[in-house]
Amino acid sequence: MSEIVHRTMGQQSGRRSWAEPWKIKMVEPLRMTRREDRVKALADAGCNTFLLRSDDVYIDLLTDSGTNAMSDRQWAGMMLGDEAYAGSRNFYHLEEAIQTWYGYPYVVPTHQGRGAEHLISRAAIRKGQYVPGNMYFTTTRLHQELAGGIFVDVIVDAAHDPTDLSPFKGDVDVGKLERLIAERGADNIAYVSLAATVNMAGGQPVSMANVKTLHALCQRHGIRLFLDATRLMENAFFIQEREGGYADQPIAAIAHEFCSHTDGAWMSAKKDALVNIGGWLAVRDQSLFEELRNLVVVYEGLHTYGGLAGRDMEAMAIGIAESTQDDHMRARIGQVRYLAELLQDWAVPMVQPVGGHAIFLDARGFYPQLAQSEFPAQTLAAELYLDSGIRSMERGVVSAGRDVETGDHHYPKLELTRLTIPRRVYTQAHMDVVAESVKAVYDARAEARGLRMVYEPKYLRFFQARFEPLS
Ligand code: P61
């Protein structure tokens, strides 16, 4: 592992520029649409951006998941796919990459993040146990609940306030966790579920100090600490930038140290790892590994492919190494910040500080006239699409779903619309288009009327729910 922090050209000279450490070799045409096309497409999609056809989208900021551009190295790796049912050489390369960069000895591949969440939830949760975590994530919480667990949010209060400027709004509030352990007993806690960065809070990082404290606390009580490493490299960038003593350490070393304070991790490799599909689980405990390795053959595929083709595992192994590079991460987060700065100049309300993978617009700030039951964030996503064909994602009351006990909506404090930036895909000029569109929608904010839900699926409703405009 390199001990040198690779800095961009601008940064080496103390300048603000952060340009990408790559150039473009292949392009994919985009289709421009007219407003009347978009009105029809949105109506056909029940005002849900998940139900739009991507051909009807101009700039797709729905997600950074599986939407990354792979490097020429990764594409070359695809040609080295060893599509053996068992013992593919690409699995061993992936295993080695995870051992090297994340430091866990035992690795199980899965088709994507939720496959890994399913397995860890089944293996590590007893019915009725509590699973404290630093804010919920939709698929993570659902798998914990389906396994009989009860999710408890123990994130710091600052995470729920979009205007709070604390540098590590992903931290666990250790006092909240200690109280839960005291009230329920350590034996009734399945494990602590720590995500770095915290997606639903706006991509907010967890500090090294926090993970160290958590680890010590968990060890005292015999509780395991598992990490959602989906955007850990982005988290490591924030530690390098904001936490004392890390400025001269490479992101790779910071991420490795972070993992050393945890008992295992799962990952949706579709984010940090720069691939279009893939995931994994990795642990330190051999007996837990054996259980996971047995479960994977039931739900995903043999333990040396986990639902993936050999070529996918090769691309992931190479992508993991690329994701640890400082100049890559500086450019990735630099692009997110570029868009944020444009929006800040126009005083557009959004979650602060801006996180690693997206801008989270504060839909309450856009539409104070709408009740949360009129779906302000969903409304904002619909308006942005109508304005310029930009696709964003609701992260508010629709995403939060219903309480399993009472059946009522969860009403999260954060009512957000996410502009998620895929890695190595869009240009700075695309960011200008997005900024101007957000401004136009913000300027027209007084006219928004909200939506009502007319179809609601049982699980993860935000993916397939349908809405109609309120008049
Ligand atoms: C996303 F609307 N994220 O942010 P999988 N952990 C974390 C994730 O961000 C994550 C997964 C686990 C997505 C895709 C997505 O409500 C939604 O590989 C921190 O997607 O199975 C995924 O990994 C799950 C979008 C997922 C959603 C759930 O866009």
Side-chain angles (χ1 to χ4, degrees):
M1 202 180 292
S2 158
E3 292 305 314
I4 301 163
V5 179
H6 293 280
R7 301 186 193 278
T8 56
M9 288 306 209
Q11 202 192 7
Q12 285 173 31
S13 311
R15 300 175 194 148
R16 66 165 284 284
S17 57
W18 45 264
E20 293 84 356
W22 42 261
K23 58 184 175 174
I24 297 167
K25 192 175 332 221
M26 190 191 285
V27 297
E28 180 181 343
L30 296 176
R31 193 165 80 87
M32 308 287 164
T33 52
R34 295 161 308 165
R35 189 171 177 100
E36 57 261 42
D37 303 326
R38 297 195 291 276
V39 169
K40 179 170 183 320
L42 190 68
D44 290 348
C47 298
N48 184 349
T49 51
F50 279 106
L51 300 179
L52 289 166
R53 289 171 181 241
S54 80
D55 279 345
D56 293 327
V57 172
Y58 173 39
I59 300 178
D60 201 347
L61 306 187
L62 183 72
T63 179
D64 62 334
S65 180
T67 53
N68 307 301
M70 294 207 296
S71 66
D72 52 0
R73 277 35 170 201
Q74 288 176 289
W75 280 108
M78 297 283 279
M79 296 306 292
L80 301 177
D82 169 11
E83 306 309 339
Y85 187 88
S88 162
R89 84 174 73 90
N90 312 116
F91 166 72
Y92 297 106
H93 186 194
L94 173 64
E95 181 184 55
E96 192 191 321
I98 294 165
Q99 289 165 343
T100 303
W101 301 108
Y102 294 88
Y104 305 107
Y106 300 117
V107 175
V108 177
T110 60
H111 79 285
Q112 59 181 78
R114 70 198 72 178
E117 290 172 337
H118 176 209
L119 302 187
I120 192 81
S121 303
R122 266 184 181 263
I125 300 174
R126 266 195 338 264
K127 194 168 165 25
Q129 278 188 316
Y130 294 86
V131 191
N134 53 345
M135 199 173 268
Y136 86 98
F137 186 70
T138 54
T139 54
T140 318
R141 184 180 64 190
L142 179 61
H143 281 296
Q144 290 164 353
E145 288 174 353
L146 290 172
I150 303 159
F151 172 79
V152 185
D153 188 1
V154 291
I155 202 167
V156 290
D157 287 342
H160 296 282
D161 177 355
T163 61
D164 189 304
L165 293 177
S166 310
F168 289 105
K169 283 164 74 171
D171 279 358
V172 165
D173 181 328
V174 177
K176 284 185 193 171
L177 181 58
E178 280 174 330
R179 279 194 293 285
L180 183 76
I181 298 171
E183 276 164 26
R184 304 295 177 182
D187 192 46
N188 289 319
I189 311 277
Y191 56 86
V192 173
S193 176
L194 182 73
T197 58
V198 182
N199 193 349
M200 302 300 278
Q204 302 297 328
V206 177
S207 62
M208 191 71 84
N210 194 243
V211 73
K212 272 190 206 166
T213 308
L214 286 174
H215 191 213
L217 176 68
C218 286
Q219 282 196 320
R220 273 204 304 284
H221 292 279
I223 299 172
R224 289 168 297 188
L225 175 58
F226 292 133
L227 172 68
D228 180 340
T230 296
R231 296 183 184 85
L232 177 66
M233 294 304 159
E234 291 176 5
N235 198 103
F237 169 89
F238 289 114
I239 290 176
Q240 187 190 59
E241 184 183 69
R242 298 178 185 170
E243 195 162 351
Y246 290 96
D248 290 320
Q249 287 207 35
I251 283 170
I254 297 170
H256 198 276
E257 182 188 335
F258 198 99
C259 292
S260 75
H261 300 300
T262 67
D263 297 299
W266 69 87
M267 181 184 194
S268 168
K270 300 169 74 174
K271 285 75 166 177
D272 262 359
L274 296 160
V275 283
N276 305 121
I277 194 70
W280 51 262
L281 252 171
V283 294
R284 298 188 194 284
D285 177 73
Q286 194 181 358
S287 62
L288 175 60
F289 166 64
E290 291 197 351
E291 195 172 344
L292 294 166
R293 198 167 71 144
N294 194 209
L295 279 175
V296 78
V297 299
V298 182
Y299 295 104
E300 301 279 310
L302 193 74
H303 56 275
T304 55
Y305 77 85
L308 295 164
R311 52 182 171 269
D312 298 326
M313 292 189 284
E314 190 60 30
M316 203 193 315
I318 298 168
I320 286 174
E322 290 181 4
S323 75
T324 66
Q325 290 169 12
D326 294 273
D327 49 2
H328 155 70
M329 194 53 77
R330 189 156 303 281
R332 190 278 183 283
I333 295 183
Q335 187 177 41
V336 176
R337 287 182 175 169
Y338 173 79
L339 175 57
E341 281 163 18
L342 293 178
L343 297 175
Q344 273 156 7
D345 286 348
W346 293 318
V348 171
M350 69 178 99
V351 174
Q352 306 273 8
V354 170
H357 66 305
I359 308 291
F360 286 71
L361 300 174
D362 180 6
R364 288 181 205 273
F366 271 67
Y367 302 136
Q369 73 272 30
L370 298 186
Q372 208 169 4
S373 56
E374 295 169 324
F375 308 118
Q378 190 80 34
T379 304
L380 178 50
E383 293 297 337
L384 277 170
Y385 175 71
L386 286 179
D387 182 76
S388 54
I390 290 166
R391 169 149 71 173
S392 57
M393 185 193 289
E394 195 269 4
R395 295 279 79 167
V397 63
V398 186
S399 296
R402 291 184 184 272
D403 186 302
V404 262
E405 293 293 310
T406 65
D408 293 340
H409 288 303
H410 283 294
Y411 283 103
K413 292 207 179 92
L414 297 175
E415 180 68 25
L416 309 173
T417 303
R418 188 179 75 172
L419 300 167
T420 336
I421 314 299
R423 297 166 188 77
R424 310 193 290 206
V425 171
Y426 290 113
T427 66
Q428 191 152 326
H430 286 119
M431 296 301 111
D432 291 338
V433 173
V434 174
E436 286 179 352
S437 179
V438 173
K439 180 177 189 307
V441 170
Y442 187 52
D443 289 345
R445 59 194 180 274
E447 289 152 38
R449 295 283 166 272
L451 298 165
R452 67 191 164 93
M453 203 188 305
V454 293
Y455 168 66
E456 180 178 356
K458 185 167 169 203
Y459 299 115
L460 302 175
R461 61 183 183 177
F462 52 88
F463 283 131
Q464 291 154 338
R466 299 184 71 84
F467 303 83
E468 280 175 4
L470 291 169
S471 45

